[in-house]
Amino acid sequence: MNLIEQIDHWALTAPNAIAHISGDKRLTYGELRRRSDALAAHLTERFGNNRSPIAVLGHREPQMLIAFLGAVKSGRPYVPLDTVLPQQRIDKILAISRPALLLSPEDVTKLSSSAPFVPATRVQRDDPFYILFTSGSTGEPKGVIITLGCLEHFVAWMLREQKFVPLGETFLNTAPFSFDLSVMDLYCSLTTGSTLFSISRDLVANPKMLYRALGNSGSTTWVSTPSFAQMCLVEEKFSEGMLPRIRRFLFCGETLAAQTAARLLERFPRAQVWNMYGPTEATVATTSVRIDRSILEKYSALPVGRAMPGTDVFVVNRAGETLPANEQGEIVIAGPNVSLGYLGRTDLTEAVFFDHFGRRAYRTGDQGRFHDGFLFFEGRMDSQLKLSGYRIEPGDVEANLLALPSVREAVVTPVIKNGAAQSLAAFVVLSGQTERSHFELTQSLRRQLAERLPVYMLPRKFVFRDVFPLTANGKVDRARLAQSL
Ligand code: AMP
């Protein structure tokens, strides 16, 4: 059975089992199969052999799941888009992905209520399954192409390692579907006949409602960024009493602080805590380690684990030579979970993807080393950074600032506190003279930038300069600007 058949299988054996809960909406496995089949038939009738992607724009609606499966059952990959994205960012992604159709939850409801009799051909192992957009350093988002084969390799590993109980798990979905962390909860849940419990953004904005929802979720498997768990830990009641069924916390996407893991183990003594690591380009996560007391006692900076079976993870020097244990270099991933590359960007693809003894390989740009058999993540080789688990290229924010008529020069740097990026700061040279105060200018730039970029990419602080300091060879002295914060 391939992954799609595995999901459909639950419609036969447990049609009334709940596949998804989002607010007051519920979707059963029977309905998921019937509706996604109907949507696939409509897409096939309308677009025939045209295999362009299907873009899906929504938030946590059950229709998102129907649309994802409907697209792949018609042989087309989907592009998940969250409504938190500003229109200009959505337009850029649509211009790059050139979808056959953009579906809203309402469209999905209409197109999935009846099915024309048209047999649809599903995506095969080497076909794109989804295309996920991430920040690109020139201001253009990059579309990472993930095949069915990549996804199957990842999910099969998760199922073997975590031994999820079929029909017996509730997965917490905290990440938007446009962020690849959500792929972990979504497909581990659907392939095991479990329930996906979505936490929508209005819940995250209201702590009282959030804790109530968590308490009512019946979650057995927590999937989030460490930042999300840290936020929850602020509330003392966030403990076993609130989540009595919880069996495991799965973290990925950014550094898991030892203190966060320790506090979770104290508050949830019967649950396991896992640290997982990997980029979108290698399908969600490639390494994992269970963080127990012995690991906490031994390491102050936690390991990110061992590679999934069937995939090689190694560390190379600048010449691309594999380094022995304990030496720091760039982390490379080679195996069936590595993406085909960036949609429509052969230049970017060739720069970081390559063939490694017949296997697809990806240079992550992450620095790290092996020690005691574990991989340790030790920062980036470039300026890419993470804020609350979101991947950001400062160059993306700079390019969007420079696109504003009032901005002549822009440099964006992270504000670092206790060794971690806390927010972004933008240094700006304006195009002309102005009478406006710094406060007014900041408000205006933030407002204009918010039309182009998601909220998590907006600089918190703006610093205005007449000119930028230069280095000896005439480049903008970024280090000096950052030091001046
Ligand atoms: P994304 O493509 O958004 O999943 O971001 C991938 C990047 O997040 C990786 O290349 C790392 O820089 C960082 N990352 C992912 N997982 C971890 C982890 N467990 N610890 C530290 N950094 C991580």
Side-chain angles (χ1 to χ4, degrees):
M1 271 200 290
N2 74 12
L3 182 124
I4 302 170
E5 290 157 354
Q6 256 175 299
I7 298 170
D8 271 353
H9 174 74
W10 297 112
L12 297 179
T13 53
N16 296 323
I18 303 293
H20 187 214
I21 299 179
S22 180
D24 54 6
K25 300 193 192 81
R26 279 170 163 65
L27 178 72
T28 63
Y29 275 92
E31 223 182 327
L32 175 62
R33 177 170 186 173
R34 187 173 50 75
R35 286 187 171 265
S36 56
D37 282 345
L39 178 60
H42 273 289
L43 295 174
T44 306
E45 185 184 54
R46 187 150 158 203
F47 300 110
N49 286 330
N50 168 354
R51 293 298 164 98
S52 301
I54 301 296
V56 189
L57 174 62
H59 186 49
R60 308 292 167 113
E61 301 83 358
Q63 289 97 321
M64 301 287 281
L65 278 62
I66 296 168
F68 300 164
L69 289 183
V72 295
K73 284 179 171 183
S74 80
R76 295 163 180 83
Y78 63 88
V79 180
L81 296 168
D82 196 284
T83 43
V84 291
L85 293 173
Q87 190 59 44
Q88 290 192 35
R89 192 75 171 178
I90 292 173
D91 290 344
K92 269 190 184 171
I93 294 175
L94 295 179
I96 298 167
S97 52
R98 292 195 275 163
L101 192 64
L102 170 64
L103 289 174
S104 67
E106 295 73 33
D107 299 331
V108 175
T109 304
K110 262 186 248 151
L111 289 175
S112 65
S113 52
S114 68
F117 190 73
V118 183
T121 316
R122 298 167 167 198
V123 295
Q124 303 297 307
R125 180 151 299 162
D126 294 333
D127 295 336
F129 189 94
Y130 64 76
I131 302 164
L132 223 145
F133 279 81
T134 153
S135 180
S137 57
T138 56
E140 294 292 299
K142 295 186 288 195
V144 180
I145 307 170
I146 297 297
T147 63
L148 171 62
C150 293
L151 181 61
E152 285 184 338
H153 189 68
F154 166 69
V155 172
W157 167 57
M158 291 292 300
L159 266 51
R160 273 197 313 272
E161 185 159 84
Q162 296 296 336
K163 301 185 180 65
F164 300 118
V165 179
L167 294 172
E169 305 279 351
T170 297
F171 286 78
L172 201 65
N173 161 239
T174 59
F177 292 125
S178 52
F179 176 18
D180 91 326
L181 180 61
S182 66
V183 168
M184 186 184 301
D185 42 79
L186 174 59
Y187 290 106
C188 289
S189 186
L190 292 183
T191 51
T192 56
S194 302
T195 301
L196 184 72
F197 188 97
S198 281
I199 296 287
S200 66
R201 63 171 173 269
D202 39 311
L203 288 181
V204 178
N206 182 331
K208 244 193 189 159
M209 275 165 59
L210 171 66
Y211 295 118
R212 194 175 313 144
L214 289 176
N216 292 335
S217 70
S219 292
T220 60
T221 302
W222 176 287
V223 179
S224 82
T225 57
S227 297
F228 188 86
Q230 263 161 18
M231 179 186 82
C232 294
L233 278 164
V234 171
E235 166 62 58
E236 302 256 309
K237 284 198 209 107
F238 180 69
S239 62
E240 206 176 45
M242 186 184 283
L243 292 163
R245 295 183 65 213
I246 202 83
R247 298 180 184 135
R248 55 183 85 75
F249 288 85
L250 307 179
F251 292 113
C252 191
E254 60 179 347
T255 300
L256 172 64
Q259 201 202 17
T260 307
R263 287 172 74 192
L264 285 169
L265 288 175
E266 266 163 40
R267 300 228 200 145
F268 300 89
R270 285 183 296 180
Q272 300 184 355
V273 172
W274 288 75
N275 191 15
M276 305 180 72
Y277 155 87
T280 303
E281 286 84 343
T283 322
V284 193
T286 305
T287 70
S288 67
V289 55
R290 181 176 163 196
I291 306 295
D292 56 16
R293 302 213 176 268
S294 67
I295 298 257
L296 279 174
E297 274 160 27
K298 205 161 168 200
Y299 305 105
S300 51
L302 297 178
V304 295
R306 295 192 168 87
M308 68 206 310
T311 292
D312 288 328
V313 175
F314 47 98
V315 171
V316 299
N317 63 15
R318 292 208 176 265
E321 294 154 351
T322 304
L323 292 171
N326 300 316
E327 286 191 29
Q328 192 194 54
E330 182 174 15
I331 301 170
V332 176
I333 301 171
N337 54 318
V338 173
S339 149
L340 295 180
Y342 303 114
L343 184 69
R345 293 303 300 264
T346 340
D347 54 338
L348 295 180
T349 302
E350 281 171 0
V352 286
F353 290 90
F354 63 103
D355 181 272
H356 181 75
F357 301 110
R359 320 179 84 190
R360 197 144 180 81
Y362 172 65
R363 267 192 287 276
T364 61
D366 288 330
Q367 277 178 328
R369 78 182 76 212
F370 276 97
H371 179 66
D372 293 345
F374 289 128
L375 181 68
F376 285 77
F377 168 84
E378 297 175 328
R380 290 287 303 174
M381 302 179 68
D382 55 16
S383 53
Q384 182 185 300
L385 58 103
K386 285 274 174 149
L387 281 181
S388 302
Y390 288 106
R391 174 165 154 181
I392 301 172
E393 292 280 0
D396 195 350
V397 187
E398 286 168 8
N400 279 283
L401 265 171
L402 286 169
L404 306 179
S406 55
V407 175
R408 191 166 71 210
E409 284 184 79
V411 165
V412 171
T413 63
V415 178
I416 312 276
K417 264 193 209 147
N418 303 328
Q422 301 290 325
S423 60
L424 291 176
F427 292 89
V428 171
V429 176
L430 295 171
S431 316
Q433 299 282 340
T434 175
E435 297 286 293
R436 296 161 87 190
S437 69
H438 282 183
F439 177 74
E440 286 169 330
L441 286 168
T442 298
Q443 297 288 83
S444 155
L445 289 183
R446 271 197 123 239
R447 192 170 14 83
Q448 292 176 71
L449 212 51
E451 289 171 11
R452 311 177 64 93
L453 292 174
V455 177
Y456 63 81
M457 287 176 82
L458 301 181
R460 189 170 294 163
K461 186 171 179 179
F462 284 80
V463 182
F464 298 95
R465 292 287 178 92
D466 295 330
V467 283
F468 282 157
L470 299 181
T471 61
N473 49 18
K475 289 187 183 173
V476 173
D477 194 340
R478 292 170 169 267
R480 225 166 103 196
L481 282 173
Q483 273 161 18
S484 71
L485 275 174

